[in-house]
Each structure stands twice: as C-alpha cells, then as structure tokens.
Amino acid sequence: MEVEITQLTFDSRNVSEGAAFIAIQGTQVDGHAYIEKAITKGAKAIVCEHLPENLKEGITYVQVVNASRSMGLMAANFYDHPSDKIKIVAVTGTNGKTTTVTLLHQLYTELGYSAGLISTVENKIKEEIIPASHTTPDTISINELLVKMLEEGCTHCFMEASSHAIVQERTAGLKFAGALFTNLSHDHLDYHGDFDHYIKAKKKLFDELPKDAFALVNADDKRGLVMLQNSKARHYTFALKYPADFKARIIDNSIQGLEMDLDGKSVWFRLTGEFNAYNLLGVLGIAQLLGENEEEVLRQLSMLKGAVGRFDLLVQNGITAIIDYAHTPDALENVLKTIQKLRTGTETLITVVGCGGNRDVTKRPIMAKIACKFSNKVILTSDNPRDEEPMAIIKDMEAGLSPIDQRKVLSIEDRKSAIKTACHLLQPGDIVLIAGKGHETYQEIKGVKHPFDDKKIVSELLKLLFKD
C-alpha cells in the first residue's frame, strides 16, 4: 500500500507509468477486461470489484464493493479535496438544469466573482470555455476541473447533476454547498427502468448532502418535498403556486420577456415562459442562500439572457423561429404552452421534432401527440438517431397519433429537409419551433457526429426564401 501513485485513470488507453487503474463496470464496457492492458502500460495499482485469477508480482490490487464510488473518493484525496475549497452548487431535475447553472454562472460573474461552470453545453473556468462531452463529467475530470478553477481564483462552481451521473457515483467524494431540484418528468426510463428508480436517483444527491449545505426544491412539483425527506441539509422551497420560502407571481409573459412580482417588487426579465420563471426563482433562492443581496441579484438577473438553445429566439423577415433543446414530453409541452400564451391566434405554428436513438422508446409517441395538440402543423424528423434507423424512430412517434392528428403531420427523415419544408410553409407572422437539439452543433448517426446546427440552418433558409 506504500506504492506511490502518479495518475488515476479508468481508461486503459490513458494509463501511464505509475498509474492506479480503476476497473469500472459500465453499461457498454467492463473495465475488468482491460486490467492486463493497464498493467502492461505501467499501472502499479489496480482497483477492482472482482480480482483477476492471476495476480501479478509487484502490483497492488485493491478489491472494493463499488469501484465508481471508490474512484470518486480516491480522486478527492488525490487532488487534495478541491471541493472543500470552492462553493459548489449542484442542480438536478428533468428540465431547467442547463439554464439554471448558466444563469448562476452569468450572475456571479456580473456580481464580481470568479466562477466555474459544469454543464451540458460547456464547461467554463471564468470565461474560458472547455468543451463538454457529458452533462456531468467523471469524478477524476471534475476534480481536475476544480483544481484548475481554484488556480484561476474561482470561489464558486455551478454544476448540473444528471440522474445518470448521480447513480454512477460521478458526484462521489464532492462536498456541496447546496443543491437545487427543478422538477421531475418522463425521461431516461430506458436507463433507470421505472419512475421510482428515477426519483431515487435524483433523491440520492439530497440524501448525501452535509448538514451545513442547503437543499432547495421546487414546491410546485409533487416530488419536490420527497427530495427533502432524510436530507441532513437545511431545507428550503421555491414556488409560483404554493406557499414557499422563495415565492413569485407572473404578472406578464410575452415574447419579449417576463414580468414577475417578488415580495411586492415588480421585476422584468429578458427570459420568456413560466418554466423560466421557475429557473429565475431557483437562481434567486440559491444566490440568497449563498449570502447575496436580493436587490442586487434581481438587478443583475433582469439583464441576463439565459442558455444557448433554450427558447432561443430568431426573428427574421417577420417569421419567429424558436430553437429549443426540448427532448422530453414535459419540456416540449412547456415550450409549446409558452408559445400558445404568446400567440395572437391568427398565426400558424409549425413544430419540427424528432426523438433520439438508443434512448427511452416510450416517450416517442407521447412527444408526437403533444406536438400535434399544440401546433397547426407538425413535421416528424430525425434527432440524433445514433445506431437506430431514423424511420423506425419516426414510426414509433407516429404510433401516438390519432386519425385527426395524422392530417396535420408530415414525416421527413432528413432533418435539414424537414426544416426547409417548414420554412416553405411559413408566412410572415408565423412561428416555427425546432425542438430536440437546441445548443448541439452536430447530428449523431451510426457513431459519427456530423456538423448540424438548427439555428444556423433555419437562419440561412429564411434568408434564402425571403431574399426578395
């Protein structure tokens, strides 16, 4: 056990001399199959759940119950517990995670702090962008990021905590100053198996918070108070409908923004929709729980724009295009309901939507049905088909359509052609929602990521169609 370790890794391809290799049993690959390769490349210690049959001389083997959790604890020790030296707030829930952490990062930057961001869209150290491949990185990468944040003088870090990450112990070994729960709806049931396990995945984050942390939950979501059960942290709530510690009321909601009443103060924000009212209220709650002045926070929040690809507006030649990451039934319904409230009733609303491959199949017919309920016309198309056939995914979506719905639906496999068709059908004053990909600048097909940016494509098409 006295062997000096120079590196921690769970990827045998990255092993260097003196490394400790952690054999993680993943959903696709089992790290135990790469123990020999890791030793050949110079690993001096192996951390695993099952010991190999043949133990090599001069190699330290550590058998653990849960290698993923052990990796988190090891990473915290190896990097000298960076999460103890920076205030980390985790945000979890089905929808709103990215907008909430992005707003928090923008807010704290405007308040004069140096802050870090770990999100679906990007990771940031102050204003330096570090590309993100997962909603929540692995524990080694998180600790490396935190060390860099501390070196750059960051005092706060705001991170998304996905249900996958929580279950896979990617937050293990981290000390949180607090956590926020946004909402819970139909998503990732392909991974968690059922809704009960999905709820437990989110709740695990709150169960493991320390006594000196805060737990802030959406009291309007029926699972909000469930998150607080058994949590040792200080309990707080936010809501638009029910009594809560942080309460607000929407006065006006338009395409230009939101006006809200907060404790008798009327404040206008540049974000649109009820879902963003919840995001803003959650951000306000976190900032106050971290000791910030309410009036200064509201002043700064009123000037912020939110996250890329979240109700992203593009108005061109009298046509309003909305690009949104909505890829769950609840998120799609939220966006469409928001658009409904902003409509005069005379314009046509066309929704272009698809569903990702190798993901929850049960949500596909539900999303098609929701799109039809709130739109004049719907074009079903590819999202990120991954290893599935795009038309097979579209067929699954079509299964949710009634005979009446079918009359307003077109199915076009190629996403660019689908967006182009939608643009051809639009007249000045009309609205098009392009849902599912938001900030993503690629389309994943058979393991290859092809360049594809919804906002860029719709902008170019609208310019071409209306150039005269």
Side-chain angles (χ1 to χ4, degrees), residues 241-272:
K241 297 169 185 150
Y242 290 105
D245 298 299
F246 301 97
K247 186 93 168 68
R249 179 174 61 86
I250 296 174
I251 300 169
D252 188 40
N253 180 17
S254 71
I255 207 87
Q256 282 79 34
L258 276 167
E259 187 181 354
M260 291 204 287
D261 179 281
L262 299 115
D263 295 327
K265 302 182 197 76
S266 176
V267 186
W268 188 84
F269 301 95
R270 297 169 77 171
L271 280 74
T272 297

Side-chain angles (χ1 to χ4, degrees), residues 133 442-445 447-451:
S133 58
Y442 62 86
Q443 192 173 25
E444 189 177 337
I445 304 166
V448 180
K449 289 186 176 181
H450 303 270

Side-chain angles (χ1 to χ4, degrees), residues 95-314:
N95 303 311
K97 295 188 296 294
T98 304
T99 297
T100 302
V101 295
T102 302
L103 285 171
L104 281 163
H105 183 264
Q106 289 177 2
L107 170 65
Y108 271 73
T109 301
E110 293 302 321
L111 289 172
Y113 292 95
S114 293
L117 172 71
I118 299 174
S119 82
T120 305
V121 179
E122 61 193 8
N123 300 323
K124 272 188 169 185
I125 299 174
K126 296 200 283 193
E127 290 306 312
E128 182 195 350
I129 296 171
I130 296 145
S133 58
H134 292 80
T135 300
T136 313
D138 63 84
T139 47
I140 296 171
S141 299
I142 290 173
N143 279 278
E144 284 175 346
L145 270 170
L146 292 176
V147 168
K148 287 175 186 170
M149 287 176 191
L150 287 167
E151 286 171 353
E152 292 296 319
C154 292
T155 53
H156 297 75
C157 173
F158 304 105
M159 69 176 280
E160 292 185 51
S162 68
S163 55
H164 285 66
I166 296 164
V167 168
Q168 292 167 6
E169 303 285 2
R170 281 185 253 156
T171 54
L174 297 176
K175 184 178 185 294
F176 292 105
L180 176 139
F181 167 75
T182 59
N183 50 61
L184 203 68
S185 67
H186 197 294
D187 196 21
H188 301 310
L189 299 192
D190 55 321
Y191 179 80
H192 297 291
D194 57 45
F195 212 74
D196 189 45
H197 283 90
Y198 185 37
I199 293 167
K200 284 176 181 172
K202 299 289 188 191
K203 190 177 181 308
K204 186 176 188 293
L205 177 69
F206 294 88
D207 289 348
E208 295 177 355
L209 287 174
K211 279 183 187 176
D212 58 349
F214 64 81
L216 176 61
V217 302
N218 179 356
D220 287 346
D221 188 290
K222 60 185 176 184
R223 282 103 189 172
L225 297 179
V226 173
M227 298 295 146
L228 298 179
Q229 292 169 5
N230 307 319
S231 177
K232 298 186 290 290
R234 294 172 284 127
H235 296 183
Y236 298 93
T237 55
F238 67 100
L240 294 176
K241 297 169 185 150
Y242 290 105
D245 298 299
F246 301 97
K247 186 93 168 68
R249 179 174 61 86
I250 296 174
I251 300 169
D252 188 40
N253 180 17
S254 71
I255 207 87
Q256 282 79 34
L258 276 167
E259 187 181 354
M260 291 204 287
D261 179 281
L262 299 115
D263 295 327
K265 302 182 197 76
S266 176
V267 186
W268 188 84
F269 301 95
R270 297 169 77 171
L271 280 74
T272 297
E274 185 182 79
F275 57 95
N276 272 323
Y278 282 107
N279 295 333
L280 288 159
L281 194 50
V283 169
L284 173 64
I286 286 172
Q288 286 189 256
L289 291 170
L290 289 174
E292 300 307 319
N293 176 271
E294 182 186 12
E295 289 205 5
E296 180 58 17
V297 168
L298 288 173
R299 191 176 75 81
Q300 296 294 348
L301 273 180
S302 69
M303 295 185 279
L304 301 182
K305 286 184 178 179
V308 175
R310 269 62 175 179
F311 211 86
D312 209 341
L313 283 173
L314 173 72

Side-chain angles (χ1 to χ4, degrees), residues 204-437:
K204 186 176 188 293
L205 177 69
F206 294 88
D207 289 348
E208 295 177 355
L209 287 174
K211 279 183 187 176
D212 58 349
F214 64 81
L216 176 61
V217 302
N218 179 356
D220 287 346
D221 188 290
K222 60 185 176 184
R223 282 103 189 172
L225 297 179
V226 173
M227 298 295 146
L228 298 179
Q229 292 169 5
N230 307 319
S231 177
K232 298 186 290 290
R234 294 172 284 127
H235 296 183
Y236 298 93
T237 55
F238 67 100
L240 294 176
K241 297 169 185 150
Y242 290 105
D245 298 299
F246 301 97
K247 186 93 168 68
R249 179 174 61 86
I250 296 174
I251 300 169
D252 188 40
N253 180 17
S254 71
I255 207 87
Q256 282 79 34
L258 276 167
E259 187 181 354
M260 291 204 287
D261 179 281
L262 299 115
D263 295 327
K265 302 182 197 76
S266 176
V267 186
W268 188 84
F269 301 95
R270 297 169 77 171
L271 280 74
T272 297
E274 185 182 79
F275 57 95
N276 272 323
Y278 282 107
N279 295 333
L280 288 159
L281 194 50
V283 169
L284 173 64
I286 286 172
Q288 286 189 256
L289 291 170
L290 289 174
E292 300 307 319
N293 176 271
E294 182 186 12
E295 289 205 5
E296 180 58 17
V297 168
L298 288 173
R299 191 176 75 81
Q300 296 294 348
L301 273 180
S302 69
M303 295 185 279
L304 301 182
K305 286 184 178 179
V308 175
R310 269 62 175 179
F311 211 86
D312 209 341
L313 283 173
L314 173 72
V315 181
Q316 213 159 285
N317 301 102
I319 286 168
T320 301
I322 298 163
I323 295 89
D324 197 278
Y325 188 53
H327 62 290
T328 65
D330 186 55
L332 184 62
E333 186 166 343
N334 281 341
V335 172
L336 286 166
K337 278 183 174 177
T338 298
I339 296 168
Q340 284 289 91
K341 289 172 185 174
L342 307 177
R343 293 175 71 182
T344 61
T346 56
E347 67 283 275
T348 296
L349 168 61
I350 300 175
T351 296
V352 179
V353 65
C355 287
N358 305 105
R359 297 291 186 270
D360 188 358
V361 176
T362 60
K363 71 181 180 183
R364 293 173 184 174
I366 301 168
M367 288 185 68
K369 193 174 181 64
I370 288 167
C372 286
K373 183 179 177 181
F374 296 99
S375 313
N376 299 104
K377 196 154 203 70
V378 174
I379 302 177
L380 302 179
T381 188
S382 296
D383 189 287
N384 287 321
R386 299 185 176 90
D387 297 324
E388 287 192 64
E389 290 303 320
M391 282 313 297
I393 298 170
I394 292 169
K395 291 288 180 197
D396 287 342
M397 296 183 78
E398 289 172 347
L401 304 176
S402 69
I404 295 169
D405 289 338
Q406 287 169 10
R407 290 179 204 159
K408 61 165 80 170
V409 172
L410 288 172
S411 294
I412 300 171
E413 181 178 338
D414 180 72
R415 192 172 178 91
K416 187 172 182 179
S417 298
I419 296 170
K420 188 175 183 178
T421 301
C423 291
H424 274 290
L425 295 170
L426 294 165
Q427 297 294 326
D430 290 344
I431 302 168
V432 60
L433 168 65
I434 302 165
K437 291 177 58 58

